[in-house]
Amino acid sequence: MLKAWSYSRLTIYEQCNFRAKLAYVDRIPEPPRALPPGKTEHANDRGTRVHEAAEIYVNSNIELIPELAAFSKEFLKLREFYRKGKVSLEGDWAFDADWNPVSWTSENAWARIKLDAFVRLNDRHGVVIDHKTGRLRGNEFKHMEQGQVYQLAAFLRYPELETIDVEFWYLDLDEITQVRYSRKQGLRFLASYTDRGNKMLADTIFKPNPNVYSCRFCPYGPKGTQHCLVGAQ
């Protein structure tokens, strides 16, 4: 059984229970990925590198890398807020089954949420910032749900906050999306994510869900490690 969920794990589980088991219970490594034609870096590796560069820029004195140049004003402002003690970076937030904050490594950790940046503008208002590389189109619903989890975690971690902005910075597109939640609006998602998380963690069967959408990028199917032989071709 799984012991804790995150939004990324939840999305994999809801696409295919069996894939989640192979990845997070059996911990089967994914096969090496071939570089796309004309590329010198995998998209995931590039995303990790750009995220790390963004964090180092905010908390030190290095220059922005080219991939972040379009957001120079935003990152400079974030750096200024960081130096005033208003920003936490790469937050490792964990909660127990009653949504009480616990340490990331706690045995009682039931949900884990990792944020790129959280800005405490004042006693009543905060901003969650997530950096995205790659495309927006086709990921709108996924990012919307991810934002719901982020703001929910922030409201529960900081009970004095009254409003929270969730911002996605699309670094390759020079675009920012923002949604503002009041505490009442934000906490409406509590029951839904509690139920979804509990369902995932209670599963002992992990039934496969073969279909073209779920199997297309699955690393464990017939064209991958072959740990799942019922995957759609």
Side-chain angles (χ1 to χ4, degrees), residues 45-106:
D45 295 336
R46 177 177 179 270
T48 298
R49 176 177 60 81
V50 171
H51 276 71
E52 290 177 349
E55 179 187 5
I56 295 171
Y57 172 82
V58 173
N59 64 19
S60 67
N61 293 316
I62 70 165
E63 297 299 319
L64 280 177
I65 63 173
E67 289 92 336
L68 303 176
F71 284 77
S72 58
K73 293 181 179 179
E74 288 81 6
F75 277 109
L76 179 59
K77 188 173 183 179
L78 198 59
R79 176 190 272 183
E80 292 171 353
F81 279 138
Y82 179 82
R83 291 174 177 175
K84 294 177 181 178
K86 294 180 177 289
V87 176
S88 60
L89 298 172
E90 295 296 326
D92 293 336
W93 294 359
F95 298 85
D96 66 17
D98 295 317
W99 287 98
N100 297 309
V102 296
S103 71
W104 186 265
T105 57
S106 171

Side-chain angles (χ1 to χ4, degrees), residues 2-232:
L2 292 165
K3 296 182 179 180
W5 67 275
S6 65
Y7 180 70
S8 60
R9 287 189 173 193
L10 186 63
T11 55
I12 293 294
Y13 173 79
E14 292 179 341
Q15 288 174 7
C16 178
N17 303 172
F18 188 54
R19 178 179 174 180
K21 176 182 182 293
L22 294 174
Y24 307 125
V25 178
D26 300 337
R27 298 182 182 276
I28 296 173
E30 296 186 9
R33 296 165 294 166
L35 276 173
K39 299 291 185 179
T40 60
E41 187 177 28
H42 288 290
N44 289 348
D45 295 336
R46 177 177 179 270
T48 298
R49 176 177 60 81
V50 171
H51 276 71
E52 290 177 349
E55 179 187 5
I56 295 171
Y57 172 82
V58 173
N59 64 19
S60 67
N61 293 316
I62 70 165
E63 297 299 319
L64 280 177
I65 63 173
E67 289 92 336
L68 303 176
F71 284 77
S72 58
K73 293 181 179 179
E74 288 81 6
F75 277 109
L76 179 59
K77 188 173 183 179
L78 198 59
R79 176 190 272 183
E80 292 171 353
F81 279 138
Y82 179 82
R83 291 174 177 175
K84 294 177 181 178
K86 294 180 177 289
V87 176
S88 60
L89 298 172
E90 295 296 326
D92 293 336
W93 294 359
F95 298 85
D96 66 17
D98 295 317
W99 287 98
N100 297 309
V102 296
S103 71
W104 186 265
T105 57
S106 171
E107 293 183 356
N108 294 323
W110 169 83
R112 292 190 175 98
I113 295 127
K114 193 174 185 67
L115 292 81
D116 288 334
F118 179 72
V119 185
R120 188 72 177 271
L121 291 178
N122 55 53
D123 292 340
R124 297 182 178 183
H125 181 62
V127 181
V128 171
I129 299 173
D130 190 70
H131 305 140
K132 296 294 187 186
T133 54
R135 62 191 177 92
L136 166 59
R137 189 173 181 179
N139 289 318
E140 292 90 345
F141 182 77
K142 178 181 177 180
H143 295 171
M144 178 190 70
E145 284 202 327
Q146 191 175 14
Q148 292 169 359
V149 174
Y150 286 159
Q151 62 83 32
L152 177 61
F155 275 128
L156 294 172
R157 188 176 176 89
Y158 301 105
E160 67 279 8
L161 292 179
E162 296 179 0
T163 55
I164 291 174
D165 292 336
V166 177
E167 295 185 357
F168 288 105
W169 294 9
Y170 293 93
L171 304 175
D172 296 330
L173 304 176
D174 192 13
E175 183 175 344
I176 294 177
T177 63
Q178 183 189 77
V179 178
R180 175 166 293 184
Y181 296 88
S182 67
R183 174 167 287 275
K184 181 178 180 181
Q185 291 170 332
L187 293 182
R188 291 185 65 184
F189 297 98
L190 180 63
S192 173
Y193 284 103
T194 300
D195 291 345
R196 290 168 67 180
N198 281 334
K199 180 181 179 180
M200 175 180 173
L201 300 185
D203 196 347
T204 58
I205 299 174
F206 297 100
K207 184 179 179 181
N209 176 34
N211 62 78
V212 173
Y213 174 76
S214 297
C215 299
R216 182 180 179 187
F217 298 110
C218 179
Y220 303 115
K223 295 182 180 179
T225 66
Q226 298 186 3
H227 285 84
C228 174
L229 297 179
V230 298

